[in-house]
Amino acid sequence: MPSGVARHLSSCSGLFVRLKPDGSSGLSTALRRSVRCSRTESKAPVIEARLQHFKGGAADMAKLRELEQKVELLGIDCEDPSRPGFYSNLFCPKCQGGQKVERSLSFHIVRSGEFAMWRCFRTECGWAGQAFADSNKSYDGDYVIMKVSSAVQMTEESLRLEPLSDKIIGYFAERKISEETLQRNGVKQLSGKQSAISFPYKRKGQLVGCKYRTVDKKFWQEKGTEKTLYGLDDISEADEIVIVEGEIDKLSLEEAGFINCASVPSGAPGKVSKKGLPSPDKDTAYQYLWNCKDYLDKASRIILATDSDAPGQALAEELAKRLGKQRCWKVNWPKKDDLSSFNDANEVLKHLGPSALRKAIEHAESMSPQSSEPSNIM
């Protein structure tokens, strides 16, 4: 460790640096993730400090811990003790404190423990947001739903995206997806990870999020990604649209001549829910539909080309319930053999070609309900 850095760190009370297994400090990681330095840190033990500043029982402490876990999912490293009612200066997970490795993130949990708020005061960053302890407000399965904003527009540069390598272009070529289609849809790869494909999510041309996948089908989303459909701008003025279950299926439909196509951003449910439809503000699993309502309302015909497996069919039903079955058609994928069918649009494109895929879409069957069934809520 450079002597100048060592002198700076030694001046911080309560400092500890997690060493690597080889005994080295790992300067960047230590500075940005593992350093604990606070000139206002209480000398009381962690538990005593929590109890002193948070007058609540076990349930309240559990709620506080749940809140901490949620912000940790966003990369905010809550230092012990998290003291409701006090402000802490932490490392910002977005800008990492810049070149000076500053503690630029002002983090605050309100005294009641109901929610946390934060803001990065570096002018180049400005990341800010809120998280709520109430599970109904801020958590949905694999995704954290928070009020998160940024003073800086998300860009390909800030996400460290770069052009596709020959390896990834070859991966798509094996699936009959052309380089032209990849370029039109802005498909890139994550810098430094040659197998991490990036699918940019845009609204009116502006980048609002990014989803990543590896060639061995591991998926994750950029923190702060807006819940919306992939390919939203391609359906902005369409009277007839196609909705598929994955980004690669959306690209496959384009190879068959259907640009008016969008994909859901997340996986299918295990089965169709037997419960009534929740109100839009509580319909968190399908929030992407409500966030795209202005686009979807323009369509008089919506073709649901989800996967042929049970979850895919359940997804088609759930989508149709919200979009209105009277304007929905469902695709039945061609038979693979006597016992099974092809699973999705890309399988059909890969094995049967664009003409067969186009035919499957054109022969979708109406899902229009009987008059006794309830109408859509959109």
Side-chain angles (χ1 to χ4, degrees), residues 6 48-49 69 84 104 139 149 173 175-176 249 272 285 320 368 372 375:
E48 291 181 10
Q69 290 173 342
S104 57
Y139 191 71
S149 61
R175 286 151 183 78
K176 307 300 182 183
D249 289 331
V272 178
S368 183
S372 60
S375 180

Side-chain angles (χ1 to χ4, degrees), residues 94-112:
K94 290 294 183 181
C95 67
Q96 301 293 322
Q99 293 183 347
K100 295 182 179 179
V101 198
E102 300 174 282
R103 287 173 167 268
S104 57
L105 190 75
S106 177
F107 180 79
H108 176 63
I109 299 178
V110 298
R111 187 172 294 276
S112 66

Side-chain angles (χ1 to χ4, degrees), residues 194-264:
Q194 297 301 309
S195 61
I197 305 165
S198 63
F199 297 98
Y201 278 60
K202 295 184 178 181
R203 181 189 289 269
K204 297 181 179 179
Q206 294 293 319
L207 193 62
V208 295
C210 197
K211 184 175 176 181
Y212 307 99
R213 71 164 282 167
T214 61
V215 294
D216 56 350
K217 299 189 72 171
K218 294 180 181 178
F219 303 89
W220 70 96
Q221 285 188 344
E222 183 68 28
K223 294 171 183 177
T225 290
E226 180 181 320
K227 282 205 164 186
T228 186
L229 294 168
Y230 174 69
L232 184 61
D233 287 350
D234 285 339
I235 65 170
S236 61
E237 300 298 331
D239 180 63
E240 178 177 306
I241 64 176
V242 185
I243 296 179
V244 293
E245 196 176 326
E247 291 84 3
I248 290 182
D249 289 331
K250 185 260 190 292
L251 303 178
S252 300
L253 262 292
E254 187 162 325
E255 294 294 339
F258 296 95
I259 293 180
N260 55 327
C261 177
S263 171
V264 300

Side-chain angles (χ1 to χ4, degrees), residues 32 48 84 94 138 140 151 171 179 252 275 323 353 355 369 377:
R32 300 185 180 205
E48 291 181 10
K94 290 294 183 181
S138 57
D140 169 37
Y171 167 83
E179 192 170 354
S252 300
K275 299 179 181 179
L323 297 169
S355 296
I377 61 173

Side-chain angles (χ1 to χ4, degrees), residues 42 44 46-56 64 81-86 109-113:
S42 171
V46 169
I47 296 178
E48 291 181 10
R50 281 176 176 264
L51 294 177
Q52 178 182 358
H53 297 286
F54 187 53
K55 305 298 184 181
L64 176 61
S82 292
R83 296 164 57 182
F86 285 75
I109 299 178
V110 298
R111 187 172 294 276
S112 66

